[in-house]
Amino acid sequence: MKIGIYLLALLAGAALSVEGAIYGELGKSIGKLESSFYNFAVGTIIIGIIVLFLGKGSLSYTFKAPKWQLSGGFLGVIYLTILVIGIPIVGVGLAMISVIVGQMAMSMIIEHKGWLGSKATKIKKEKIIAVLLMAIALILIF
């Protein structure tokens, strides 16, 4: 089961690189903010259809949920818009490795502190070394 999740995560990472490249190019054609808007508009329609037929949750809970739990949409817009702007300037590889280094560093802090509902997990030296090596790779790529 875990192997399947890891493989899906790898697939999602590959899809993010393709998506970033596509929307970076679309940004040149229709505008950077317009490209980001298009992404979320199409995504909203697609996930809306999926929720309509397969959803088992409760969208009405959105109004009762803690506000910090709703910040993900805002952060997603920031993430994608920065990629749309950045990829044509620095390239897909450099943009994505920057994202990965940032994700790894922040995820270690979140897990170490037990923030945002995650289980508190001590940072192991192997994780720190891995992030440092990825940061070095980022410098070498740059």
Side-chain angles (χ1 to χ4, degrees), residues 6 9 18 24 27 32 35 40 42 51 53 64 76 85 101 108 110-111 114-116 120-121 125 131-132 142:
Y6 293 145
V18 172
K32 292 171 179 23
S35 175
F40 287 101
V42 170
V51 166
F53 292 103
K64 299 172 191 161
I85 293 167
V101 171
M108 284 191 327
I110 290 169
E111 288 178 349
W115 290 345
L116 306 172
T121 310
K125 66 180 177 190
V131 172
L132 288 173
F142 184 69

Side-chain angles (χ1 to χ4, degrees), residues 25-91:
E25 286 301 307
L26 183 63
K28 293 178 188 176
S29 303
I30 68 171
K32 292 171 179 23
L33 294 177
E34 293 79 2
S35 175
S36 188
F37 176 79
Y38 173 80
N39 171 278
F40 287 101
V42 170
T44 298
I45 292 167
I46 292 170
I47 198 68
I49 292 168
I50 292 169
V51 166
L52 183 66
F53 292 103
L54 302 175
K56 293 185 178 19
S58 175
L59 274 177
S60 64
Y61 180 75
T62 303
F63 299 105
K64 299 172 191 161
K67 301 305 175 226
W68 69 268
Q69 290 180 353
L70 303 176
S71 65
F74 176 73
L75 295 171
V77 168
I78 291 171
Y79 161 76
L80 182 70
T81 304
I82 288 171
L83 285 183
V84 168
I85 293 167
I87 285 176
I89 298 167
V90 301

Side-chain angles (χ1 to χ4, degrees), residues 1-14:
M1 182 66 173
K2 276 190 173 182
I3 295 281
I5 298 298
Y6 293 145
L7 292 174
L8 286 174
L10 286 171
L11 180 62

